[in-house]
Amino acid sequence: MNPAHAPSDWVRYAIPVAVIAVVMAFRLRSVGRARPLKIERLWIVPALYIVIATVTFQAHPPIGLAWLWCLAALAAGIGLGWQRGRMMRIEVDPETHAISQRTSPAALLLILGLIVVRSAARNTAQFGGPALDVMTVTDVLIAFALGLLATQRLEMWLRARRLLAAARAL
């Protein structure tokens, strides 16, 4: 290794790690803290992401086997989104019927795990692993994120609605 390249390699890895560490520190501070949950607004993020995914897939549609990878990523996103949604603690105040949510540490660890897997995949491709097409990787990640975000919010909406109905019945 050329010593002239060592600092740039170190900085290239240190900056993303520092950014992720800062973001995770802020997110960890809010773990366990109740935040209001507006179930009527849970559709907004999935709707926006459906628009983003549609525009992206129309501009550069996956080719050949990339469609299969996108479907597999969507299925994985759906499964992990349902799990992440289940990990969110949802509570209904019995008197006011106000709904709140608390992010569980497990849900945050799931996101951290996904970041690690993504970094490992990128490093594998960079250091002699199989060559990956950038557009295919982008399409796969968009499909995965769509499944994760939409399903997480769907599960939270279904559960919050069920809990609210139970609280109103009392």
Side-chain angles (χ1 to χ4, degrees), residues 76-112:
I78 288 170
L80 287 173
W82 194 263
Q83 283 302 114
R84 188 162 194 269
R86 284 184 51 216
M87 291 178 194
M88 298 293 181
R89 294 183 209 141
I90 299 175
E91 300 165 350
V92 178
D93 185 301
E95 294 175 14
T96 65
H97 296 151
I99 305 171
S100 63
Q101 78 172 27
R102 297 174 193 259
T103 303
S104 74
L108 216 51
L109 289 175
L110 175 65
I111 294 299
L112 186 60

Side-chain angles (χ1 to χ4, degrees), residues 33-108:
R33 216 181 286 165
R35 292 185 322 206
L37 176 64
K38 305 290 185 196
I39 62 173
E40 62 275 2
R41 293 184 188 163
L42 286 173
W43 66 272
I44 295 172
V45 169
L48 288 173
Y49 213 78
I50 286 171
V51 169
I52 291 169
T54 301
V55 168
T56 302
F57 283 146
Q58 280 183 338
H60 301 284
I63 299 169
L65 200 54
W67 279 110
L68 183 62
W69 286 108
C70 288
L71 288 175
L74 180 66
I78 288 170
L80 287 173
W82 194 263
Q83 283 302 114
R84 188 162 194 269
R86 284 184 51 216
M87 291 178 194
M88 298 293 181
R89 294 183 209 141
I90 299 175
E91 300 165 350
V92 178
D93 185 301
E95 294 175 14
T96 65
H97 296 151
I99 305 171
S100 63
Q101 78 172 27
R102 297 174 193 259
T103 303
S104 74
L108 216 51

